[in-house]
Each structure stands twice: as C-alpha cells, then as structure tokens.
Amino acid sequence: SAPPRPHLGRTSAAFRQGEHLFSHGMRGKPPTEEEMWGAFRAYDSGSSGSVDAMELSAALRALGWSTNPSQAEKMIASVDVEGDGQLTFAQFSSLLRSAILSDEVRITVRVGGTRHHVLTTGEMLNVVDVRRHPLCSYEVYRLRGYEMRSLLIGPVFGDDGAVVGLVELVNKTGADGQPDPSGFHRDDERMLQMLCSHCSIFLKNLSGD
C-alpha cells in the first residue's frame, strides 16, 4: 500500500481501536526483550517499576499523539488485571506488542520534526548526530526504544510534484559494522535519491495511472 500521509494527531477513537503506539512495527518484526525494556524504562519517568496513566499519556504526547490521562487510563485498563491503574513490565509489553502486531500501522509526524521538515520542504535531510540537530528530539527516539545516531530521510514525489511519502535510513555503519561517526555520505544520498525515484514509479504503477 501507499506510504502513510502526514498524520498530525490522534483521536480517542484511535486509542480505543488499539492502533500503533510507537514505530517498531514498521521494521517488520516485534521488538526484542532488550528494546522493550528500554522503552519501558523511558516511559517509567518516575523510576517506580511501573507505568501509570500520567506517564503513559506524557510519553505518547511526546511521540506526537493527541491523548490525555483519561484515555491512557482506558488503555491501561485493557491489560491491568490487578485493577491498580499501573502497568507492570509484562502488561506494558502485552499492550505494546498487541498494537505493534495490529494489521494497520501508522506513524505520527511531529510538527517541526525531521519527517515534517522533509514532507513540507521536499528536500533530503542528512543528520550526522541526532543528539545535536535542532530538528531531532532524542527523547522521542528514546521513548520509541531506538538508539539513534545518524539519520537520512528522502522524499518520494507524486506526479504532481507533491511529497507523497518518505524513505528513512538510520544509523550508518562502517565496513567494520561499527557506527560511522561521519554519518551518511554523499554516495548514500545519491543511492537514497535513486531509491525514492523507484518508489515514485512503483506507486504510480500501483495506482494504475
């Protein structure tokens, strides 16, 4: 199917449907136990060993979702067998895995973030270090369970010249398999530009135009 269009908010109905909570599902596999623990610790801002409605709501808002503690309470209640309003690690994992493996996966686009920049400008974005770039929110990546370093995003254009999708590459490595401190190179940008062009052709053929 076509890549997701910019989606800048979520409704309470979307939460009731148990849609995607963070972006691991786009990798085509469930997160590992280590990744899930990383996300759990990020959500558990009070380091209490559990996640409550306030923490869940705050984390989801940081990820670009429109939610409030009342909506978060409903999400917690779906897996909270003790009824104490707290998510243990096991319950947190169950909630997120059910959302990640749902049939429909969407990614929110944070206004002012890297994806929003590429969608609105139509320009490729190459970030050497996400911790120091003004468009990046390292805390958002941490909440998603990612250890982000470098980032390269290219626009996919439709026939009318509008951006209809994005291709995103993360964490450039060198020949030794270790992180490349210089990030993505000019050759990587050329390769991504070519890939985005192929995506445009594919989408055009898919639509039958």
Side-chain angles (χ1 to χ4, degrees), residues 44-58:
D44 180 19
S45 58
S47 301
S48 64
S50 62
V51 175
D52 61 24
M54 292 293 291
E55 291 171 325
L56 180 60
S57 177

Side-chain angles (χ1 to χ4, degrees), residues 37-103:
W37 268 111
F40 180 75
R41 285 190 287 266
Y43 277 62
D44 180 19
S45 58
S47 301
S48 64
S50 62
V51 175
D52 61 24
M54 292 293 291
E55 291 171 325
L56 180 60
S57 177
L60 294 177
R61 285 200 305 273
L63 291 171
W65 296 65
S66 295
T67 186
N68 56 49
S70 176
Q71 293 166 338
E73 285 174 359
K74 293 179 181 179
M75 298 171 66
I76 290 175
S78 67
V79 293
D80 179 20
V81 294
E82 293 89 358
D84 59 2
Q86 306 279 329
L87 288 176
T88 64
F89 173 71
Q91 293 164 344
F92 176 86
S93 299
S94 176
L95 180 65
L96 292 196
R97 287 182 191 279
S98 65
I100 291 166
L101 298 177
S102 63
D103 291 335

Side-chain angles (χ1 to χ4, degrees), residues 2 13 39 41 43 58 66 71 79 90 107 117 128 141 143 161 169 179 203-205:
R41 285 190 287 266
Y43 277 62
S66 295
Q71 293 166 338
V79 293
I107 291 181
H117 175 81
V128 175
Y141 295 128
L143 287 168
L169 308 178
L203 292 175
K204 178 179 178 181
N205 293 335

Side-chain angles (χ1 to χ4, degrees), residues 29-207:
K29 63 178 182 179
T32 65
E33 191 83 355
E34 181 182 356
E35 290 168 336
M36 192 65 80
W37 268 111
F40 180 75
R41 285 190 287 266
Y43 277 62
D44 180 19
S45 58
S47 301
S48 64
S50 62
V51 175
D52 61 24
M54 292 293 291
E55 291 171 325
L56 180 60
S57 177
L60 294 177
R61 285 200 305 273
L63 291 171
W65 296 65
S66 295
T67 186
N68 56 49
S70 176
Q71 293 166 338
E73 285 174 359
K74 293 179 181 179
M75 298 171 66
I76 290 175
S78 67
V79 293
D80 179 20
V81 294
E82 293 89 358
D84 59 2
Q86 306 279 329
L87 288 176
T88 64
F89 173 71
Q91 293 164 344
F92 176 86
S93 299
S94 176
L95 180 65
L96 292 196
R97 287 182 191 279
S98 65
I100 291 166
L101 298 177
S102 63
D103 291 335
E104 181 179 5
V105 176
R106 297 183 183 182
I107 291 181
T108 56
V109 176
R110 181 174 57 87
V111 175
T114 53
R115 293 168 181 157
H116 184 260
H117 175 81
V118 177
L119 285 168
T120 54
T121 65
E123 299 175 353
M124 185 175 294
L125 179 65
N126 191 340
V127 177
V128 175
D129 188 345
V130 300
R131 294 168 296 182
R132 294 178 172 83
H133 196 281
L135 293 177
C136 297
S137 174
Y138 187 69
E139 177 65 15
V140 167
Y141 295 128
R142 195 172 72 90
L143 287 168
R144 288 174 176 157
Y146 290 154
E147 181 58 41
M148 292 285 287
R149 294 179 295 273
S150 55
L151 177 68
L152 182 63
I153 307 177
V156 176
F157 295 101
D159 285 344
D160 60 357
V163 180
V164 297
L166 303 172
V167 178
E168 181 174 321
L169 308 178
V170 300
N171 292 343
K172 170 72 176 182
T173 58
D176 58 358
Q178 298 302 308
D180 189 332
S182 61
F184 290 94
H185 307 155
R186 180 57 184 157
D187 286 344
D188 298 315
E189 294 180 0
R190 295 191 186 97
M191 180 192 69
L192 182 58
Q193 186 175 27
M194 181 173 62
L195 177 59
C196 289
S197 297
H198 285 303
C199 289
S200 296
I201 296 171
F202 172 79
L203 292 175
K204 178 179 178 181
N205 293 335
L206 190 66
S207 64

